[in-house]
Amino acid sequence: MTPMTTAGAKTTTPAGSARRAIVGRLSWGLADQAASSMTNFAVGIYVARSLGVTAFGVFGLAWVTYGVVLSVSRGLATDPLVVRFSGVPDASWRGAVARSSGTALGVGVAIGLACLAVGLALGGSVGPAFACLGVMLPGLLLQDAWRYAFFAAGTGRKAFVNDLVWGVALVPAMVVAARVGSVAAFVLAWGVSAAVAAAYGCLQSGIRPRMTGARGWLREQRDLSYRYLAENVGVSGASQLRAYGLGAIVGVGAVGAVRGAELLLGPFLAVLMGLSLVTVAEAARVLRRAPHRLATFCLLLGAGQAVAALLWGAALLLVPDRLGAFVLGDVWSSASGLIVPATLGVAGAGLGTGAAAGLRALGAARRSLRSQLFASSCYVGGGLGGAAVAGTVGSAWGVAAATVCSSAVWWLQLRSALRERHRNPIPEARTS
């Protein structure tokens, strides 16, 4: 029974306070992901309606390339920050954030220059989009780094506000891009608005990124960062290989169709892409305070996402063609046939993400990397093998089957990691 005061009012138990704190942080995480999802969804819809399926395919190639670069930044800079500096004293957090955000900015500058050179060399319809992406990468990566930093500190409200700033800045930028009417213009609009939010993140945190601290950060975090780098690039690299392969096997229009189906499931895909902002930090807190509850936390997390994705997919099947065409334009006719396999793929990924968060919190980077390499190999094999057999639809079904199988591997690895920790508990947290 809950303890009572002499006046008959309930007192707050430590467990109750901890639960409310977790719910509060997760709520801000969901709010932030909702804002991020709406931003990504709005960009995709606007570009799809403005440019048509082929040009939208070019934009999709730039988008998946950004995903690879973002994965590099997260693996080297912000994933170790979330694992080792969540819930630590403020002084430790501030020092770590200055160096990790500087590392993210450095990644953006280095890869941005390479992307710019490749884009200028390519020319044609694809080259300008990649050149503009290269110019915008530093701002895009720094904005993402602030989000990770705020969630590590347990101040998800600031991440939410930062994403709102990005969304507000995006509106006039997209209007200007629509008047220009090119893929490059939309990439610039997307990147410029992110740079505005990145600058605002400096004001929110009161921290200036220290690019000079990047080398020290990489040296200190190398036991986690390089494995997370390989793991993250495995995720986004697989997506990029599938997109390029699908374009070569079926055509660039097929890339646009797949991207259109992803847009329809956008809220859940955006949550999955940025889920470590919230869940890894929370799983790390659960591990420190009540390690026996980590498996349950991860199971509830994964199952909740899977069920939500299935419900959303079922709702999409009821959307009338007229409404779908109004939202996606010409892309709807090809994207609507991919709803069922895309939904199953997202549900499988959502279930696996719960286990992935647990492995990250445990610092089991070797097991996490092993799981991700298996998942990425299955994703590419299923996506391209399906494309060779049955075109765009076959690729979607191949990815769905690969994702469900990979989810089982994630959970087997988490179970082994928990047993290992029970036998040999090793603290992973660092506060300096």
Side-chain angles (χ1 to χ4, degrees):
M1 295 180 64
T2 303
M4 304 291 289
T5 65
T6 54
K10 292 182 179 180
T11 61
T12 301
T13 65
S17 298
R19 279 194 296 270
R20 278 195 293 275
I22 291 175
V23 170
R25 288 190 294 268
L26 287 176
S27 297
W28 279 117
L30 290 173
D32 175 71
Q33 289 302 327
S36 178
S37 299
M38 290 305 296
T39 299
N40 293 334
F41 186 73
V43 170
I45 293 299
Y46 208 68
V47 176
R49 288 181 56 82
S50 301
L51 300 180
V53 66
T54 301
F56 188 54
V58 175
F59 184 83
L61 292 177
W63 186 281
V64 297
T65 302
Y66 157 70
V68 175
V69 181
L70 183 64
S71 297
V72 173
S73 175
R74 287 179 175 178
L76 294 178
T78 50
D79 282 341
L81 175 77
V82 171
V83 171
R84 285 178 166 156
F85 294 91
S86 292
V88 301
D90 184 66
S92 298
W93 174 82
R94 293 181 68 84
V97 169
R99 289 176 292 150
S100 68
S101 60
T103 302
L105 191 57
V107 169
V109 171
I111 302 183
L113 289 173
C115 206
L116 175 62
V118 170
L120 293 175
L122 281 176
S125 60
V126 177
F130 276 77
C132 292
L133 176 64
V135 173
M136 294 293 102
L137 277 176
L140 285 162
L141 299 189
L142 182 57
Q143 192 275 338
D144 186 73
W146 291 132
R147 298 172 70 213
Y148 269 74
F150 294 141
F151 278 109
T155 55
R157 176 181 57 83
K158 291 184 177 180
F160 172 71
V161 171
N162 194 275
D163 269 325
L164 281 184
V165 170
W166 186 1
V168 171
L170 188 63
V171 174
M174 295 298 280
V175 171
V176 173
R179 291 180 178 176
V180 176
S182 68
V183 177
F186 280 105
V187 173
L188 283 175
W190 170 47
V192 166
S193 55
V196 171
Y200 181 65
C202 295
L203 296 176
Q204 286 179 292
S205 63
I207 298 172
R208 295 179 63 181
R210 285 175 48 205
M211 290 180 61
T212 55
R215 180 176 296 180
W217 176 261
L218 294 175
R219 184 174 59 252
E220 294 166 12
Q221 309 302 327
R222 64 183 179 273
D223 59 323
L224 292 184
S225 61
Y226 292 113
R227 287 195 176 103
Y228 287 160
L229 170 64
E231 180 182 334
N232 290 353
V233 171
V235 177
S236 54
S239 178
Q240 189 175 30
L241 286 175
R242 183 215 179 180
Y244 290 166
L246 186 60
I249 295 170
V250 185
V252 177
V255 180
V258 169
R259 179 61 189 147
E262 291 173 350
L263 276 176
L264 295 173
L265 289 155
F268 297 99
L269 286 170
V271 168
L272 289 177
M273 287 175 62
L275 198 61
S276 58
L277 290 172
V278 185
T279 55
V280 175
E282 289 306 321
R285 289 185 177 95
V286 170
L287 181 63
R288 290 188 181 101
R289 297 169 183 172
H292 60 284
R293 295 179 180 171
L294 180 63
T296 302
F297 174 84
C298 295
L299 181 60
L300 291 174
L301 175 68
Q305 289 180 93
V307 170
L310 291 173
L311 291 174
W312 182 265
L316 288 175
L317 292 175
L318 303 177
V319 173
D321 286 338
R322 182 178 299 177
L323 178 58
F326 174 78
V327 174
L328 284 181
D330 295 338
V331 178
W332 168 257
S333 60
S334 53
S336 59
L338 308 180
I339 289 175
V340 173
T343 298
L344 293 176
V346 172
L351 186 61
T353 300
L359 286 173
R360 285 287 178 94
L362 287 165
R366 186 172 299 174
R367 290 188 178 277
S368 184
L369 175 59
R370 191 180 305 156
S371 301
Q372 189 54 63
L373 291 178
F374 175 83
S376 298
S377 300
C378 288
Y379 181 91
V380 174
L384 298 186
V389 173
T392 309
V393 175
S395 179
W397 278 108
V399 166
T403 306
V404 172
C405 292
S406 301
S407 178
V409 172
W410 279 107
W411 280 101
L412 289 173
Q413 289 293 331
L414 177 61
R415 185 178 67 174
S416 298
L418 288 170
R419 288 177 175 175
E420 221 171 62
R421 187 182 189 279
H422 181 70
R423 291 194 299 267
N424 303 299
I426 300 174
E428 284 291 339
R430 292 184 185 177
T431 58
S432 62

